[in-house]
Amino acid sequence: MTDHRQIVVLGAGYTGMFTAVRLAHRIRRTGVRITLVNPSSRFVERLRMHQIAAGQHLARHRIANLLAGTGVRFVEGTATTIEPETRRITVDGDMSLGYDTLVYALGSSTDTGTVPGVDAHAFTLNGPECAGRFAARLTEVAAAGGTVTVCGGGLTGVEAAAEIAESHPGLHVTLISSDEVGGMMGAKARAYLHRSLDRLGVTTVTGVRVAKVLPDAVELSDGRTVRSDACLWTAGVKVSPLAADAGIATDERGLILVDGTLRSVSHPEIHAIGDAAAVRLAWGPVHGTCQSGLPTAQYTADTIARLLRGRTVEPFRFGYFHQPVSLGRGDAVIQFTKADDSPARWWLRGRAAVAYKEFVSGSPLLTYRLSKRMNVTTVVSKGGRATRRPAM
């Protein structure tokens, strides 16, 4: 008998796209209908935004092309409200979509509202358009031999600073971080990262926060100012208020509170994945990365397929495996990790690391294509003993 249930996936980033494609394969011929909703028709490779920001031209991938042959319906639009009680979603204020099961995969974006001046004077990597605007400004600054500041010393900030310095060697690039740059890595990998930044001419300013972004400078919390003809902001993230506004249980950051099977604790017909979910394992909270997001997508697609067939579901398990960092196009460093993302003994550098990082960055698109025909496993590590207890 044909099943006419409706599954809606909100967000076509790395996690939402993977869930939709994998689930379509898992429940083919059942009659269950899947709809994927996203504000843009373009699939965004967030792992490569720093390349666009540096002025590189990358391939454009259309969501409709990635979904071709899956039977998934694509709706281009922005979800404006969710009504959990009636299980309906409003898109762009006028379209209404009903659902039996909802996958919430709206992800996160750079937070520009916490530090004065960021929203007015800084650029972000919140999508190709934002990165493209920064690239255009970068061309102007480079022509004048000016100064660029990158605020935020996480992996995104490091990659952006290195890419900019390599692509525009005449620029003065300053990386500003409240913590030690590469502090999450082991001593050897961290030292290599610092040598690479030095080689590229990147100046690092650490142990201080940005107090204000000005039109032509960045003001630091210790009173100093750093000249800045263009400021790229990569510090801090925020999530959509859509879930909290709908009365779905969230934490103080707006992430959906989930049980051990990544289902909302207040509305179990809603599955939250990637950056949108507050996932906590025995070793601690899972932080938002593509590395952890794809496994939540894979798990959720499999979970929904099992639930539709009346089967039992095992709790989500995951352990971190690596911290891959590109340092321009010709260099990279990979820190392998323990399940809780703390550094392990092994690390990789140079050309081998470049090839490794490029494989990591390109693997989602390959995974989507293969997932149309087979169940592709993306979970490199389930964390061993550290994750045998369920998520809390």
Side-chain angles (χ1 to χ4, degrees):
M1 188 173 82
T2 301
D3 191 332
H4 294 294
R5 275 178 281 191
Q6 303 280 347
I7 298 173
V8 174
V9 181
L10 289 185
Y14 286 120
T15 59
M17 178 63 71
F18 188 28
T19 299
V21 174
R22 184 180 179 92
L23 183 57
H25 176 72
R26 293 296 306 268
I27 63 173
R28 63 194 184 282
R29 295 189 295 271
T30 65
V32 176
R33 299 168 184 172
I34 304 172
T35 300
L36 178 63
V37 181
N38 195 68
S40 169
S41 63
R42 179 179 179 179
F43 175 74
V44 176
E45 292 185 274
R46 287 185 64 180
L47 292 176
R48 298 189 187 276
M49 286 303 97
H50 60 285
Q51 293 179 243
I52 296 178
Q56 298 168 30
H57 298 283
L58 305 181
R60 296 173 67 92
H61 303 284
R62 294 295 175 185
I63 291 173
N65 293 338
L66 295 176
L67 294 176
T70 65
V72 176
R73 174 194 178 198
F74 174 56
V75 173
E76 183 179 351
T78 301
T80 51
T81 61
I82 301 174
E83 300 175 15
E85 305 313 315
T86 60
R87 299 191 183 185
R88 301 205 69 82
I89 300 165
T90 303
V91 178
D92 287 339
D94 53 8
M95 178 185 292
S96 180
L97 297 175
Y99 66 86
D100 297 289
T101 299
L102 173 64
V103 179
Y104 192 96
L106 290 183
S108 63
S109 59
T110 304
D111 187 356
T112 62
T114 56
V115 175
V118 173
D119 55 348
H121 306 303
F123 296 84
T124 71
L125 300 180
N126 286 337
E129 294 78 14
C130 294
R133 286 194 290 271
F134 177 77
R137 174 59 181 157
L138 200 61
T139 300
E140 298 172 351
V141 176
T147 297
V148 171
T149 53
V150 178
C151 300
L155 300 187
T156 300
V158 169
E159 290 190 325
E163 203 77 49
I164 292 166
E166 183 183 74
S167 299
H168 300 276
L171 280 173
H172 186 136
V173 180
T174 301
L175 178 61
I176 302 172
S177 176
S178 59
D179 301 313
E180 180 182 7
V181 175
M184 76 295 291
M185 295 181 160
K188 293 182 179 179
R190 184 168 62 252
Y192 184 84
L193 185 151
H194 280 257
R195 289 197 298 272
S196 296
L197 292 177
D198 289 343
R199 173 179 56 79
L200 291 168
V202 176
T203 299
T204 58
V205 177
T206 61
V208 64
R209 296 185 179 276
V210 174
K212 189 175 184 179
V213 177
L214 304 171
D216 58 357
V218 171
E219 184 179 308
L220 305 180
S221 56
D222 61 4
R224 289 181 292 166
T225 58
V226 177
R227 179 188 167 192
S228 179
D229 298 305
C231 175
L232 181 63
W233 191 264
T234 69
V237 297
K238 63 179 180 180
V239 298
S240 167
L242 190 63
D245 290 346
I248 302 166
T250 61
D251 67 6
E252 67 281 359
R253 299 168 295 168
L255 278 65
I256 294 180
L257 295 171
V258 295
D259 63 14
T261 63
L262 306 188
R263 301 168 75 183
S264 164
V265 296
S266 61
H267 299 82
E269 72 279 3
I270 299 175
H271 302 247
I273 59 177
D275 295 1
V279 182
R280 188 174 183 86
L281 299 178
W283 47 261
V286 174
H287 55 84
T289 64
C290 184
Q291 180 183 177
S292 58
L294 288 177
T296 65
Q298 174 182 306
Y299 171 87
T300 293
D302 295 348
T303 293
I304 293 173
R306 293 185 67 85
L307 291 173
L308 288 171
R309 294 180 172 90
R311 298 180 181 176
T312 58
V313 177
E314 295 293 325
F316 175 68
R317 290 179 58 197
F318 166 76
Y320 286 98
F321 179 71
H322 60 195
Q323 297 165 354
V325 186
S326 64
L327 299 167
R329 295 299 85 201
D331 199 3
V333 59
I334 315 296
Q335 173 67 66
F336 294 100
T337 70
K338 300 175 184 177
D340 63 358
D341 207 29
S342 61
R345 176 181 177 184
W346 303 104
W347 64 292
L348 197 62
R349 63 182 179 180
R351 292 183 178 179
V354 170
Y356 186 105
K357 179 59 166 66
E358 182 55 32
F359 174 77
V360 169
S361 296
S363 61
L365 287 170
L366 175 62
T367 298
Y368 304 151
R369 296 186 181 106
L370 293 176
S371 294
K372 295 180 182 181
R373 302 187 300 273
M374 64 185 74
N375 295 326
V376 180
T377 298
T378 64
V379 182
V380 176
S381 170
K382 289 189 175 181
R385 293 180 181 178
T387 58
R388 284 179 184 166
R389 284 180 287 164
M392 303 187 309

